[in-house]
Amino acid sequence: LTNKMLDLYRLGEVESIKRTDFDIDLLVKQVIKGSEFLNTKELKISYSLEGEHKTISGDLIYAEQAIINLIDNAIGFSHSQGEILVKIFKKGGYIVVNVIDQGVGIEDKHKILSGMLNPTRRTDEHGSVGHGLGLKLVRRIMKLHGGKFDINNNKDGKGVTATIEFPL
């Protein structure tokens, strides 16, 4: 929690990012592979890419951190033996990354997406608590990229879809 608060503070000081071109497809695959040790709930994590490989211009380290936070949240708030789907596709002038879980959902996205010092809590089936700070980091990272971030409960009432959009 302290590290995430410090990261938020540091990101608040950043006014611009140094852009390089990188393959978002490859980055997401690496993050999923690196997340395997967190997957203690026997979750099925699947991946889908629509179209050809996607190159974006941005800060690779920050983009990686945003994706790590979204997958970490999906793992943390999924039910045991559940599923997580990570989808990449092009929509308009953006490359979209959706992280879709079938977990506990989210009560009030507006609290999470609002001010940095207004953390919210979300409790999973094992009593683990989230404060929304990781999602605030994602929001700030996407703002630095000129992109978008949103999170919504799935229409079937099971879980959440977190969406980040990088401009082309």
Side-chain angles (χ1 to χ4, degrees):
L1 185 60
T2 302
N3 286 337
K4 285 187 179 181
M5 290 180 77
L6 288 171
D7 288 343
L8 272 174
Y9 175 77
R10 286 185 204 113
L11 272 174
E13 299 290 308
V14 174
E15 293 182 19
S16 65
I17 57 173
K18 187 174 183 178
R19 293 181 179 273
T20 58
D21 290 344
F22 61 91
D23 186 328
I24 190 71
D25 173 40
L26 181 61
L27 177 61
V28 169
K29 286 178 183 175
Q30 289 172 339
V31 170
I32 290 171
K33 180 89 172 139
S35 298
E36 288 177 358
F37 74 96
L38 296 173
N39 188 0
T40 59
K41 297 180 181 181
E42 299 178 34
L43 301 168
K44 177 183 174 190
I45 302 176
S46 56
Y47 169 82
S48 163
L49 171 67
E50 293 178 17
E52 71 283 349
H53 291 291
K54 310 297 185 200
T55 300
I56 62 171
S57 178
D59 184 297
L60 176 63
I61 301 300
Y62 287 154
E64 178 181 39
Q65 187 61 55
I67 294 165
I68 287 170
N69 283 347
L70 295 181
I71 292 175
D72 182 44
N73 266 9
I75 290 171
F77 293 103
S78 287
H79 303 295
S80 294
Q81 300 179 343
E83 294 184 32
I84 296 170
L85 172 61
V86 182
K87 292 173 56 175
I88 300 176
F89 56 95
K90 182 179 176 185
K91 178 181 168 188
Y94 293 89
I95 297 297
V96 179
V97 179
N98 281 343
V99 178
I100 306 163
D101 69 52
Q102 302 299 313
V104 298
I106 193 164
E107 272 186 43
D108 188 354
K109 84 171 190 174
H110 301 292
K111 275 189 178 181
I112 286 178
L113 298 179
S114 67
M116 285 189 189
L117 298 176
N118 185 20
T120 186
R121 295 169 59 102
R122 185 164 77 139
T123 306
D124 76 1
E125 64 188 12
H126 304 290
S128 297
V129 175
H131 296 85
L133 290 175
L135 296 179
K136 289 179 187 349
L137 279 168
V138 172
R139 182 190 67 192
R140 177 67 181 143
I141 289 167
M142 295 314 298
K143 184 175 181 181
L144 287 169
H145 280 86
K148 301 176 186 178
F149 167 61
D150 201 8
I151 186 165
N152 291 291
N153 286 318
N154 296 331
K155 291 180 182 177
D156 64 2
K158 298 175 185 173
V160 164
T161 297
T163 303
I164 54 177
E165 300 182 28
F166 291 94
L168 289 173

